[in-house]
Amino acid sequence: MDLFLRNRTIATLTGGERAALERAVAERKILPARATLVERGDTLRQSTMLIDGFMIRYIDDLEGHRQVVAFHVPGDFVDLHGYPLHKLDHSIATLTQASIATVPHDALKRLTEADAELARNMWASTLLDAAMHREWLFRLGRLDATGRVAHFFAETNARLQAIGLSDGNGYDLPITQTDLSEITGLTSIHVNRVLRSLRESRTCVFRSSRVEIQDRGQLEHIGQFDPTYLYLKPPAADRAPEPTEKEPADGS
Amino acid sequence: MDLFLRNRTIATLTGGERAALERAVAERKILPARATLVERGDTLRQSTMLIDGFMIRYIDDLEGHRQVVAFHVPGDFVDLHGYPLHKLDHSIATLTQASIATVPHDALKRLTEADAELARNMWASTLLDAAMHREWLFRLGRLDATGRVAHFFAETNARLQAIGLSDGNGYDLPITQTDLSEITGLTSIHVNRVLRSLRESRTCVFRSSRVEIQDRGQLEHIGQFDPTYLYLKPPAADRAPEPTEKEPADGS
DNA sequence: CGACACGTTGAGATATATCAAACGTGGTGG
DNA sequence: CCACCACGTTTGATATATCTCAACGTGTCG
């Protein structure tokens, strides 16, 4: 029932739409940590909603080194794009133990054909992933090692805060420094040194699977973090109308 | 009327769907080279189809240095994602003079509400951009300077070949080395050195706004290029079948 | 012809990778 | 309980890729 309650990443969905999606869930499962769910090239017949835990999407290079291309938090529709695309260009795995719900693609087909508005909102939800990809491109292309790690911590802080898993000053992040290196395109050794420098500058501490942010302003400055690309909306999406800006009437 | 004929990037669209889109075009325009079309944060009421020329999407850092996050070729729907998203997280500009067609969002709304299949295909088309973003993340995160440039040349070759603007061994690419550096996350000086090394290894030559590929196998190997993420389909029935990976040049 | 954008080259600085090793810690089995 | 192991973390020394700064070349176009 409260299955998707945490889900505010898909802030684009109304309560009713979320409920419809919920009814379409075929199966719930617990996956172990560090399990591969989908391999690059696989064909999908259902999509996966992450309920609890952390998952990543990644691409391997020739030597088998991973580049992580997306990091998923509870409430994310991990591979909704698998519905229009059918076949995935990347692999999907858990980092931690994860609780998931799967939605068959034919259920999605029925839902989207019945409700064009829902369809567009699901479309938008996959586009948020694309926006995040772009910001990651910026991170890898324009930031130095410290900036990349800071940016990831700041981004994750904002995302987790939106779902109530961070108070803005710290959050649990049960991943290794090697995971961080695969996210930031660095070596794990260098990540370790970056972490030390962030610690010594009293910016933030990553230790025992937890990020403690001591100076959020500085962290976000080092990472040149500007959260607009997350398209986060104020938490109570199904209560208050969005106070962001007046919508151009849609012509409906 | 041959407006979208080149368009094979949206290989997901049928002829009829493409025609419907074509009828929705409100305006055609010629943009000058190096003109900004959309600024990060702008709200969109129409989307832009690129008919001729090259465009980019980019994000600026604090010092105003660009990271290019997407490179667009004729036939691309440059900002279709602006329809569900409304507001863009990045800027859009031309590199060369460009001919474009604009489609109002309310026309898209009508089309997608009338035809769920078309809606899903347009959705898929934006997901191809996301797939490209992911490959670019791989490029920036896991490849060295030579690999990044080689990967971009190989990718662009494949994309242009799909729309008949490359014969597989060379194509016009009227961009500067500085543009290349903003795409690959390098300095223009280093790009210059990489280009020399590609030239001296008889892999490919970039000169006078043209890429000449001397050893496609090696180029793709250096760039670890695997085109599956482009989701290219064999170019319909009206053209010659694509030479698959079984090429006479045995490469490596 | 001169101006300006773009390309090329060199020398030195710096960030990050690589290699090697030690350290801590939680879990496991004897 | 200890011994030990696997895994992740930390540190040091060195190598190397890329950047930075500076200068010079080259083509194009008014």
Side-chain angles (χ1 to χ4, degrees):
Chain A
M1 224 31 166
D2 61 344
L3 188 70
F4 296 153
L5 276 195
R6 275 180 169 172
N7 177 4
R8 293 205 182 83
T9 298
I10 308 188
T12 46
L13 294 190
T14 69
E17 288 170 348
R18 205 146 49 213
L21 254 183
E22 226 173 294
R23 279 192 300 275
V25 167
E27 194 183 5
R28 292 213 227 169
K29 271 197 279 209
I30 306 279
L31 301 176
R34 295 181 187 278
T36 298
L37 181 64
V38 178
E39 293 272 9
R40 182 186 230 223
D42 284 357
T43 301
L44 296 185
R45 289 205 172 63
Q46 77 286 323
S47 286
T48 298
M49 164 79 77
L50 178 57
I51 308 297
D52 198 58
F54 294 107
M55 299 182 72
I56 53 170
R57 297 191 272 148
Y58 64 93
I59 296 175
D60 281 314
D61 73 5
L62 290 177
E63 290 106 36
H65 296 127
R66 289 178 175 186
Q67 176 61 43
V68 173
V69 299
F71 178 78
H72 286 293
V73 304
D76 285 357
F77 225 138
V78 175
D79 56 357
L80 181 52
H81 55 296
Y83 165 52
L85 235 34
H86 302 119
K87 222 171 65 178
L88 289 197
D89 52 89
H90 59 265
S91 306
I92 303 181
T94 58
L95 284 182
T96 63
Q97 187 184 82
S99 157
I100 63 169
T102 65
V103 180
H105 284 174
D106 35 2
L108 291 177
K109 188 171 158 100
R110 260 181 283 111
L111 283 174
T112 52
E113 282 176 357
D115 184 347
E117 181 70 12
L118 171 61
R120 190 174 56 164
N121 288 337
M122 287 176 45
W123 183 0
S125 138
T126 63
L127 294 179
L128 296 187
D129 280 342
M132 230 174 299
H133 288 336
R134 289 190 282 274
E135 195 74 11
W136 285 39
L137 281 167
F138 169 75
R139 178 156 87 205
L140 290 180
R142 285 291 164 249
L143 298 184
D144 64 9
T146 311
R148 292 186 206 172
V149 173
H151 186 284
F152 175 70
F153 282 162
E155 175 185 78
T156 304
N157 186 46
R159 293 173 71 191
L160 290 179
Q161 191 168 20
I163 56 174
L165 292 182
S166 165
D167 62 2
N169 299 311
Y171 50 91
D172 290 331
L173 188 70
I175 71 178
T176 68
Q177 294 184 3
T178 301
D179 296 328
L180 266 179
S181 77
E182 292 173 344
I183 289 169
T184 53
L186 302 166
T187 57
S188 62
I189 293 171
H190 201 62
V191 164
N192 181 277
R193 293 183 166 123
V194 165
L195 291 175
R196 177 171 53 183
S197 99
L198 286 173
R199 192 186 327 126
E200 287 173 351
S201 69
R202 325 224 135 222
T203 305
C204 80
V205 179
F206 177 58
R207 205 186 41 203
S208 325
S209 296
R210 195 169 163 81
V211 176
E212 292 291 354
I213 300 174
Q214 289 163 329
D215 186 338
R216 184 170 179 172
Q218 184 167 1
L219 183 74
E220 298 186 343
H221 180 258
I222 292 173
Q224 297 197 22
F225 177 71
D226 167 5
T228 47
Y229 70 95
L230 293 174
Y231 295 83
L232 292 173
K233 295 181 181 168
D238 30 5
R239 285 193 214 134
E242 22 189 272
T244 25
E245 61 186 275
K246 44 213 102 176
E247 287 211 29
D250 270 338
S252 64
Chain B
M1 283 320 154
D2 61 343
L3 189 71
F4 297 153
L5 275 193
R6 275 179 168 172
N7 177 1
R8 293 209 182 80
T9 298
I10 309 187
T12 45
L13 294 190
T14 68
E17 289 169 346
R18 205 146 48 213
L21 253 184
E22 226 173 294
R23 279 192 300 276
V25 167
E27 195 183 6
R28 292 214 228 169
K29 272 199 279 209
I30 308 279
L31 300 175
R34 297 183 186 278
T36 298
L37 182 64
V38 177
E39 293 271 10
R40 179 186 234 224
D42 284 356
T43 300
L44 295 185
R45 288 201 173 65
Q46 78 285 322
S47 285
T48 299
M49 164 79 77
L50 178 57
I51 308 298
D52 197 58
F54 294 108
M55 298 181 74
I56 53 170
R57 296 191 273 148
Y58 64 94
I59 296 175
D60 282 314
D61 72 5
L62 289 178
E63 290 105 36
H65 295 127
R66 288 177 175 185
Q67 176 60 44
V68 173
V69 299
F71 177 78
H72 286 292
V73 305
D76 284 357
F77 226 137
V78 175
D79 55 358
L80 180 53
H81 56 296
Y83 165 52
L85 234 35
H86 303 119
K87 222 170 66 178
L88 288 196
D89 53 273
H90 58 266
S91 305
I92 303 182
T94 58
L95 283 182
T96 65
Q97 187 184 80
S99 157
I100 63 169
T102 64
V103 182
H105 283 174
D106 34 2
L108 292 177
K109 183 165 193 200
R110 256 181 284 112
L111 283 174
T112 52
E113 282 176 357
D115 185 346
E117 181 71 10
L118 172 61
R120 190 175 54 167
N121 287 338
M122 287 176 42
W123 182 1
S125 138
T126 63
L127 294 180
L128 296 186
D129 281 342
M132 230 173 299
H133 288 335
R134 290 190 281 274
E135 195 74 11
W136 285 39
L137 282 168
F138 169 75
R139 179 155 87 205
L140 290 180
R142 285 291 163 249
L143 298 184
D144 64 9
T146 311
R148 292 186 206 173
V149 173
H151 186 283
F152 175 70
F153 282 162
E155 174 186 81
T156 304
N157 186 47
R159 293 173 72 190
L160 290 179
Q161 190 167 21
I163 56 173
L165 291 181
S166 166
D167 63 2
N169 299 310
Y171 51 91
D172 290 330
L173 189 70
I175 71 178
T176 68
Q177 294 184 1
T178 301
D179 294 329
L180 266 179
S181 75
E182 292 173 343
I183 289 168
T184 53
L186 303 166
T187 57
S188 62
I189 294 172
H190 201 61
V191 164
N192 181 279
R193 292 181 166 122
V194 165
L195 290 175
R196 177 171 55 183
S197 101
L198 286 172
R199 192 185 327 126
E200 286 172 352
S201 69
R202 324 226 134 222
T203 305
C204 80
V205 179
F206 178 58
R207 205 186 42 202
S208 326
S209 297
R210 197 173 159 77
V211 176
E212 291 292 354
I213 299 173
Q214 290 164 328
D215 186 338
R216 183 170 179 172
Q218 184 168 359
L219 183 74
E220 298 185 342
H221 180 257
I222 293 173
Q224 297 197 23
F225 178 71
D226 167 4
T228 47
Y229 69 95
L230 293 174
Y231 294 84
L232 292 173
K233 299 186 176 160
D238 53 352
R239 276 283 178 179
E242 276 200 349
T244 39
E245 55 271 79
K246 287 252 178 173
E247 297 209 76
D250 57 326
S252 48

